[in-house]
Amino acid sequence: MYFPGRLRPSVQAVSVALLPLAVTCHAAAAGMSESAMTETPVQAVLPVVEVVGANREGFVTQTVSTTRSDKSLHETPQSITVLTRELLDARQATTLDEAIETVAGVASSTLGRRGWDDFIIRGQSAADTMYLDGLRIGQANWIAQEVFGAERIEVVKGPASVYFGQVTPGGTVNIVSKRPRAEAFTQLGITVGSDGYRQGTFDIGRPIASANGKAAVRIAGMAMNSDDPTDNVWFKNRYLAPSIALDFGTRTDFTILASLNQRQYVRQQGLPVAATSLTGRDSLVPQDFFTGDTTVAPYEAEQKAIGYALTHRFDSGWTLNQTYRHTDMELAGQLANTSGALTAAGNFNRNVLSQDFNGRSDALDTSVSRTMRWGGLAHNVMAGFDALHDRLYRDSRRCAIAAQNIYTPVQGRPVTNCNVTSIVDTTLAQRGAYLRDYIDVTEKLGVSLSLRHDRAKLKTVDVPTGARTDVDSSANTGHAGIVYKATPNIAPYASYATSFLPQTGITADGAAIDPEEGRQAEVGAKFVSDDRRLSASVAYYDLKRRNLAQADDLNPGFQVAIGAQRTRGYEAEIAADLKNGWQLSAALSILDAAITEAAGSQAATVGQKLSGVPRKTANLLANYRFSGALRGWGAGAGVRHVGEKTSTTSVYVTPGYTVADANLSYAGRGWRVQLNVKNLFDREYFAGAANANWVPVGNPRTAMLKTVVDF
């Protein structure tokens, strides 16, 4: 693969330079005049970024790393859903799309099993601004993230600029990596399942002798091979994540995190619309029909990352947090598109999109925080700076391939005449400064105020012509929220937030697209039981998104501005770990998402529902752990409902569907076996609504048997 040039080492230099600067600032803060600020140091704020100890969280947690404060989810005036490791394991989630499909307000796998992460939060596409350990993965997420390496997954809903900087206004996903533990452990796992699914995993941790007992090492790895319900489609994943915690004293936590994520796969690209039951007649092809060709090259992808997480607690009460990650990414492959309508003879035209991408990014976040008393009130103050320098080289070509016939399909057709559609070299440099204050006005009333300023420089080079586009943009965004603990268990809240996101694409005529803007008003209430074993929330929100862009169907490789969108809706969630052996997880979402402004060729879409967004979703999972004579056994069942979906580029509607899941498990001494059956009754459904030519299919019944041994 070709990679243009070397990055300037600006972010690495900044990360080194900021450390002594932060120490100097803390020293100055420690000597501030009491006449200027009456302060009483309180226990230092520790960010929830490292999972220690062997105890599992269950389905319920009140801690979240996203907010980087000592405030619990119950006290945070914003909707944030945390998926714990135990919940992910209980569902045997193998992809990020599958992991978050039960979160209220989330629509995932909207383009089927194409090998990438595809999800929508509160009606807005959100997969391109994903975060790993609080740092953005890159300009866009071209490689599916591995959920085996996650200790937890946090879904932040609505604008989250103060936490993450530039994000889509619907929300974002932050994956928190597994970290070293203080105790020794070894875990080996084997999973077999439908369609030739085979997976082996290991997770090994050892403490390292040190003065304070804080040094430890951990390495997690996974290898998976699988076929697919669709003929000629397959997946191979490899993942390795070593990490080491070093002992720099009782006041300092320092962890080095690295990962290698490799993927090979053939994209599953749905079915021709006119050959399915969406036409009102019986389907002409089974759902395992392969529209591609065996001559089309599979995708090969690799993501390598290394970085660190640092926390230092000063005598003055201030706490420094810094995270940094360097990432290299490569992806190349081809997919066969259904590019025309089905003829009476059963033929449909195809073309092949050939993609060769590679990129390199450096991300840094540094913040200082302290809990103090000022002006007679308790404040949890955080100030920080973050930076992203990302370079992405994209080579897209369109190739020819013969048409296919649904009645007499032929494989082995040659791929010919590959012509360049776009070769673009994009460099994005972002810098942001932020300030946040959680104020405890009274024992019951809390106020959250956040302000952020961002600057972004975008350089885009059209490689074939040498034409260069430079765009500088800046914005002020913020978040204001109020939470009232009416009782120790119930906390109503209200918030207002804005967001900013530079566009990295260009139009077919070479023009840059203005940065996205978003704003959201939200009201809701949160509930937590006295023993923290049950947590619930309800929310209503009104979200607006402006200056957004989408792929230009007429000019592949380019984008087109499509105006503004609005989403309004209700959400409810509950999670419980009850003492009687029951574990529950449930969510409900009702929303309206539509295009409110559009121009040019998109003007006719005003008032249309957003593509792939269901109005209603609901799900429930109930697991039970037996006691007495059946001690060690567990069983559970779940149900998931997704409403109908539409597409702005076609007239068909994909019907809503309801599927059931079931599981059975047994835990012995140091080992456990778990059987999950997903889509128990083998309901056929469509995953989303793509365009007038093709439609993505859903997942049929699958069974997975996992055996785990702990040493």
Side-chain angles (χ1 to χ4, degrees), residues 9 193 378 547 560 641 645:
N547 300 336
V560 59
H641 172 76
K645 301 174 184 177

Side-chain angles (χ1 to χ4, degrees), residues 196-246:
Y197 188 95
R198 305 176 303 282
Q199 177 181 270
T201 62
F202 66 89
D203 193 358
I204 301 171
R206 293 292 184 272
I208 302 174
S210 63
N212 301 287
K214 297 176 63 176
V217 64
R218 181 174 187 172
I219 182 168
M222 182 276 299
M224 185 276 286
N225 288 1
S226 177
D227 294 324
D228 187 86
T230 297
D231 295 337
N232 301 308
V233 175
W234 50 265
F235 301 88
K236 295 180 181 179
N237 301 341
R238 304 292 185 266
Y239 178 77
L240 188 66
S243 58
I244 182 170
L246 303 179

Side-chain angles (χ1 to χ4, degrees), residues 324-347:
Y324 167 78
R325 184 176 65 248
H326 172 81
T327 305
D328 286 303
M329 178 276 292
E330 293 184 345
L331 176 142
Q334 297 178 331
L335 73 142
N337 281 311
T338 300
S339 58
L342 189 71
T343 68
N347 296 315

Side-chain angles (χ1 to χ4, degrees), residues 10 22 306 317 323 407 440 448 524 528 531 561 588 685 705:
S10 57
I306 186 168
T323 53
Y407 302 115
D440 291 324
S448 173
V528 63
D531 58 7
L588 171 68
Y685 64 93
L705 180 66

